[in-house]
């Protein structure tokens, strides 16, 4: 039942926004009593927090499954595709409401997301340098910091102005930016031969 509540709430939050969906709405959809709901979640905020953790864990697990026996370039491309896929599934109304009405949860989510993205990106950069696909003169710490900060600000800008910053435009920009910042001639050749015409699909 706990998983059912999470899945139904997540679906309704994406469709209508967090604020517009009440505990009563979730219970009515599942045909359960509020007493049953409160056996699993003491309040709506607890449910929202668990949904955020659920989304984060699912994303990380999916990325990790796809990285087995892949080089740094392959992993970079898969991560780009996975981020794009995840963003296509996300409702910006959900994140807008989270930021506006539950700022502490929003901040907590981004602290976790920042740490995951930064650690993963740093590992990929160091691996790519060892494999000979990435430039040797990269300031790994500075680049990973820049990457995570820019991702957050860009995502927040998209929440506020979706028409001016459509998903495809943002993803294409980050692909070009990351590719030209980190790869050397060998890496660029590998991208052109294996991925470059497919990355943005």
């Amino acid at each position: 039942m706990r998983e059912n509540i999470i899945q139904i709430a997540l679906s309704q939050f994406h469709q209508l926004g967090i604020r517009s969906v009440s505990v009563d709405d979730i219970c009515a959809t599942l045909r359960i009593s509020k007493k049953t709901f409160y056996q699993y979640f003491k309040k709506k905020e607890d449910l929202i927090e668990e949904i955020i953790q659920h989304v984060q864990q699912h994303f990380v697990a999916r990325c990790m499954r796809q990285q087995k026996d892949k080089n740094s370039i392959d992993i970079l491309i898969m991560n780009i595709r996975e981020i794009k896929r995840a963003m296509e599934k996300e409702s910006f109304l959900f994140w807008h409401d989270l930021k506006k009405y539950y700022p502490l949860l929003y901040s907590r989510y981004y602290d976790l997301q920042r740490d995951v993205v930064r650690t993963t990106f740093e590992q990929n950069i160091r691996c790519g340098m060892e494999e000979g696909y990435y430039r040797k003169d990269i300031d790994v710490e500075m680049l990973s910091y820049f990457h995570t900060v820019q991702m957050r600000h860009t995502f927040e800008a998209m929440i506020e102005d979706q028409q001016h910053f459509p998903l495809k435009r943002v993803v294409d920009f980050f692909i070009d930016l990351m590719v030209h910042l980190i790869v050397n001639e060998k890496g660029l050749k590998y991208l052109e031969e294996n991925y470059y015409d497919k990355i943005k699909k």
Side-chain angles (χ1 to χ4, degrees), residues 42-53:
K42 293 182 179 180
K43 54 186 182 297
K44 185 179 177 181
E45 287 82 354
D46 293 341
L47 171 60
I48 296 169
E49 184 169 13
E50 188 149 338
I51 285 175
I52 292 171
Q53 293 173 355

Side-chain angles (χ1 to χ4, degrees), residues 121-181:
F121 189 68
E122 282 192 14
Q123 290 173 346
N124 182 266
I125 294 295
R126 297 186 191 283
C127 181
M129 292 169 71
E130 291 177 2
E131 293 172 343
Y133 290 116
Y134 297 168
R135 291 167 34 215
K136 295 289 187 181
D137 60 342
I138 295 174
D139 185 332
V140 178
E141 185 178 9
M142 192 67 228
L143 182 59
S144 63
Y145 176 79
F146 168 81
H147 178 62
T148 52
V149 169
Q150 286 302 311
M151 282 191 66
R152 173 166 186 167
H153 288 315
T154 301
F155 186 75
E156 290 181 343
M158 289 174 65
I159 292 175
E160 299 299 329
D161 191 356
Q162 297 176 48
Q163 291 184 342
H164 191 64
F165 296 102
L167 176 60
K168 186 178 186 305
R169 178 183 175 189
V170 174
V171 171
D172 288 353
F173 171 78
F174 266 103
I175 289 172
D176 289 336
L177 180 65
M178 286 298 102
V179 165
H180 290 95
L181 273 177

Side-chain angles (χ1 to χ4, degrees), residues 17-91:
I18 298 174
R19 195 181 190 196
S20 297
V21 178
S22 66
V23 172
D24 287 329
D25 294 327
I26 297 168
C27 291
T29 302
L30 287 166
R31 297 183 179 180
I32 61 173
S33 66
K34 291 177 72 172
K35 181 179 179 181
T36 300
F37 176 91
Y38 289 123
Q39 287 177 354
Y40 297 96
F41 303 99
K42 293 182 179 180
K43 54 186 182 297
K44 185 179 177 181
E45 287 82 354
D46 293 341
L47 171 60
I48 296 169
E49 184 169 13
E50 188 149 338
I51 285 175
I52 292 171
Q53 293 173 355
H54 173 84
V55 170
Q56 176 71 24
Q57 290 169 0
H58 179 77
F59 174 77
V60 172
R62 184 180 174 89
C63 288
M64 293 301 295
R65 286 196 302 269
Q66 295 179 348
Q67 292 181 10
K68 187 177 180 180
D69 300 324
K70 301 293 191 301
N71 64 35
S72 56
I73 293 281
D74 295 329
I75 292 172
L76 176 66
I77 300 305
M78 284 189 295
N79 285 344
I80 291 172
R81 287 176 171 170
E82 195 57 41
I83 290 171
K84 182 178 180 181
R85 184 182 296 111
M87 292 177 72
E88 286 173 340
K89 291 173 62 178
E90 298 292 347
S91 163

